[in-house]
Structure formats: structure tokens, C-alpha cells
Amino acid sequence: MTETVNGPTEDSAEAQKRPQFGTRFLTDPRQVFQHNAWDNVEWSAEQEQAAQKKVQENSQPLPAEKQEEFDNRANEYWNDFYTIHENRFFKDRHWLFTEFPELAPQQKPPQEAEENLINGEDVPSTHNDAVFPGASASYRILEVGCGVGNTVFPILKTNNDPGLFVYCCDFSSTAVDLVKSNPEYDPSCCHAFVHDMSDASAEYPIPDHSLDVIVLIFVLSALHPQKMQNSINRLARLLKPGGVLLLRDYGRYDMAQLRFKKGRCLSDNFYVRGDGTRVYFFTQDELHDLFSSAGLEKVQNLVDRRLQVNRGKQLTMYRVWVQCKYRKKTILSSTLPNLCKRRC
């Protein structure tokens, strides 16, 4: 597994064979180099304290004018990154279908009346007669922060649902151009577009209440913390009642956070890399607050503490990621008679 600004990647052969995380446990420390990775590795109190101390030592924030420069030039830094690396920096994320089966082919029942209700209120069916890419699709997925397509193209290759339509967007126009120039890009089932998710006023080319799944893979961490809540609020409006938001991102005290030196901190747990791109390291509670404040209910919120091993160099690396699934609330069908009485 290698580290990228868009998160860790795995060789596709290993990734396809890897079971869902949490199944390989290190019970005998002498066996640590028998495998490339171990799941759910418990940290000792001393290890946790050492990580906290390391972060505190390097937490002096950069001057405000320097932080503003990184914020204003964020688009430039990401375009430069993709111009340099193109599609050579990433590997396809085949592990997605193990962790997020919502991205695999779905057998969807016919829509019921209660699907157009959120917390007892009618949801306007804004897309019935609208014209937009994928308007006739029965299952719609949006990936925000798609990069060069390492999530999108595995979905399109694996999910053979004829009713599927996949949307993907990125802050970087260079990345979107690379997606569109990929031979596997098919406008009949995929629409790639440039979008700044941190701009809550920017319109998506998709009506509200029209998406079944939204995917955020190592992308929310690239936003300024003060812009995260409004961004999630906007995305939540795009979901159908019962639609899900899937996230995997950096967790607090991940190896990548502990490697930052002095002069790279922007604010608490928020850093700038050497190439100008930025990254935040989350706790479970922070993510739960973001999603629940947007009206989403928890399905899953897990910390994946993994011990990665370089057997050749006899090195151990502690990774911390957070994985979440949050669903847009729907009214229970059992409450429909009472609702009908109130309206009648």
C-alpha cells in the first residue's frame, strides 16, 4: 500500500482479495512481519500520549496572511498536482466494494409513496420532468473529489446495473479533463464536471433529492474546517430520502499527521503539505456532528486503526482512518396513517 494525497492505495490484486477491515488481528507481536497489514490494532496509553505530544509540538499555526494565501491558491495547487502526476500517482480503489456494498449493483424495490417524505414533510419531486444528465437513471451515485477517476471507473466496470448513472466532480479542472480523456469515460452513463464543494452557493448539475449515494473518499479533509458544515449541508439536500453518504478519511493521529514538521500547521489538526495542498485529521465525534447537523442519521462510524508493515525494511507504520455511512432520514411507513389523518 502506498500513500497519496488522496489517501492510501492498494495494488489491485491484493485489494480484490482483502476482506472487510477488522478481520486480521495481531495476537502475537512476534508475528508482526508475517503479513502486510493488521486490523484494529489497539494503541497503548503511552503510544496515544506520544502522538498527542508530537502533534502539540508542531501545532504552532502559520501567520494569517500565509494561511489566506494557501486558501486563495488552493485551485492552483491542485491543478499543479494533477498536471505533474496525471494518472500515474494513483491505483484504482477496488476495496470500495468490500467496505461500501452500496456501490455494487442494487436490486431496488419500486419507489413507495413514503419515499417522498422527510420527517413527515412532502419533498418536492424536482426531477420528474427536469432535463439533466442521468435524468432517466434509476440509481444515481455522485463522487465528490473524484481526482483522476480511481473510484468512478471501478464502479462503472463493476456495477452493471443498466439503470446506473455516475456523476463525479473535482475542484481541479485538470483532474476532470483527465477523467474525460480516459478511454473508459462514457457520457451515456457518467458525467464529470468541475465543482468547488467548499462553495455552498455553487450549483450542482443535479436536482435536490435525486441521488442514491454520495461518495467522499479522502476529500472532506482537504477543505478548510470552517467550510465543512455548509458543504455537507448542501450535499445532504441532493440525497433522496433514504439515500446514503459514504466517507473514508484521515483520522486523528494518523501516521501522516505525526510526520508533519513545524511550519506546516494551519490550525488545530489542519496542515499544508509541501505541494500546497491541505489536509485535516478527524475524530469520529467531529464527523458525527457534521453529518447529524445536516439531518443525516448514523448507519456506521468506525475508526480503522491499521498497522501496516514493510517486511523488506522491517518497518511498522500506524494508520488511523475513519469510515462513515450516514443516511438521509425517511418517515416510517407505520406513521403514514396518522400523517394522513392530520392532512385530511
Side-chain angles (χ1 to χ4, degrees):
M1 184 175 290
T2 55
E3 175 71 23
T4 75
V5 292
N6 281 12
T9 63
E10 296 178 278
D11 293 336
S12 59
E14 291 183 2
Q16 288 174 327
K17 292 186 292 184
R18 183 176 70 80
Q20 191 171 14
F21 78 76
T23 59
R24 179 178 288 164
F25 304 105
L26 178 62
T27 56
D28 183 354
R30 295 173 298 179
Q31 303 296 317
V32 66
F33 294 107
Q34 293 298 310
H35 296 286
N36 291 328
W38 301 92
D39 297 311
N40 292 344
V41 177
E42 293 294 331
W43 283 29
S44 67
E46 293 79 11
Q47 191 174 5
E48 188 92 18
Q49 291 170 2
Q52 293 174 356
K53 181 179 179 182
K54 181 71 172 177
V55 168
Q56 291 171 357
E57 288 174 350
N58 300 326
S59 61
Q60 183 65 34
L62 291 171
E65 60 271 15
K66 193 66 177 177
Q67 295 196 40
E68 185 176 358
E69 177 187 346
F70 285 119
D71 195 52
N72 293 337
R73 298 179 61 189
N75 180 266
E76 177 185 338
Y77 289 128
W78 280 110
N79 278 331
D80 287 347
F81 173 84
Y82 287 110
T83 298
I84 294 169
H85 297 286
E86 295 185 340
N87 59 359
R88 297 184 297 271
F89 200 73
F90 307 97
K91 292 185 174 71
D92 288 347
R93 295 163 172 157
H94 296 279
W95 55 265
L96 283 168
F97 306 102
T98 303
E99 306 298 346
F100 298 133
E102 294 84 354
L103 301 177
Q106 304 293 308
Q107 296 295 324
K108 295 194 65 182
Q111 287 188 339
E112 301 293 340
E114 59 264 34
E115 289 190 41
N116 286 328
L117 296 167
I118 301 179
N119 297 328
E121 298 297 327
D122 280 323
V123 174
S125 187
T126 59
H127 56 276
N128 285 347
D129 301 316
V131 177
F132 63 95
S136 62
S138 59
Y139 198 75
R140 303 186 187 93
I141 298 173
L142 166 66
E143 185 193 13
V144 182
C146 64
V148 297
N150 299 96
T151 294
V152 170
F153 292 121
I155 291 174
L156 292 173
K157 284 188 284 189
T158 302
N159 193 331
N160 57 3
D161 181 352
L164 173 70
F165 197 92
V166 179
Y167 308 87
C168 56
C169 64
D170 201 279
F171 187 34
S172 167
S173 59
T174 303
V176 173
D177 288 342
L178 287 167
V179 170
K180 290 183 174 181
S181 65
N182 190 306
E184 297 177 355
Y185 180 74
D186 182 355
S188 69
C189 58
C190 184
H191 178 63
F193 58 99
V194 177
H195 188 87
D196 178 5
M197 72 173 291
S198 69
D199 182 358
S201 65
E203 290 296 324
Y204 287 86
I206 313 157
D208 289 351
H209 319 300
S210 62
L211 295 175
D212 295 276
V213 181
I214 295 176
V215 186
L216 299 172
I217 305 295
F218 295 100
V219 63
L220 187 61
S221 54
L223 270 62
H224 193 289
Q226 294 179 357
K227 298 181 179 180
M228 290 180 184
Q229 186 65 69
N230 286 339
S231 300
I232 296 299
N233 292 348
R234 182 66 188 94
L235 288 174
R237 283 163 44 198
L238 295 176
L239 285 172
K240 296 177 181 178
V244 293
L245 188 151
L246 311 176
L247 174 140
R248 191 167 173 85
D249 220 320
Y250 295 101
R252 189 69 47 82
Y253 307 136
D254 177 64
M255 176 188 71
Q257 181 178 15
L258 301 184
R259 284 182 170 178
F260 277 107
K261 307 298 183 184
K262 292 182 179 179
R264 289 293 169 187
C265 183
L266 299 171
S267 60
D268 288 347
N269 306 297
F270 189 44
Y271 303 84
V272 61
R273 301 184 181 95
D275 60 6
T277 60
R278 298 173 297 175
V279 59
Y280 187 85
F281 296 86
F282 293 99
T283 66
Q284 289 174 279
D285 288 344
E286 287 173 339
L287 288 168
H288 179 75
D289 289 344
L290 285 171
F291 296 139
S292 60
S293 295
L296 306 179
E297 57 186 2
K298 182 176 74 172
V299 178
Q300 180 188 77
N301 186 325
L302 302 173
V303 172
D304 182 5
R305 293 183 182 271
R306 188 169 299 179
L307 174 59
Q308 292 181 351
V309 175
N310 185 321
R311 290 189 279 185
K313 296 181 179 179
Q314 297 286 286
L315 296 175
T316 57
M317 299 162 285
Y318 289 88
R319 306 312 310 266
V320 184
W321 305 312
V322 186
Q323 181 167 302
C324 296
K325 298 182 186 182
Y326 279 74
R327 178 179 290 119
K328 192 167 188 174
K329 296 177 183 178
T330 59
I331 189 170
L332 295 176
S333 58
S334 60
T335 65
L336 286 176
N338 292 332
L339 180 64
C340 181
K341 290 179 183 178
R342 291 198 304 269
R343 289 179 177 174
C344 298

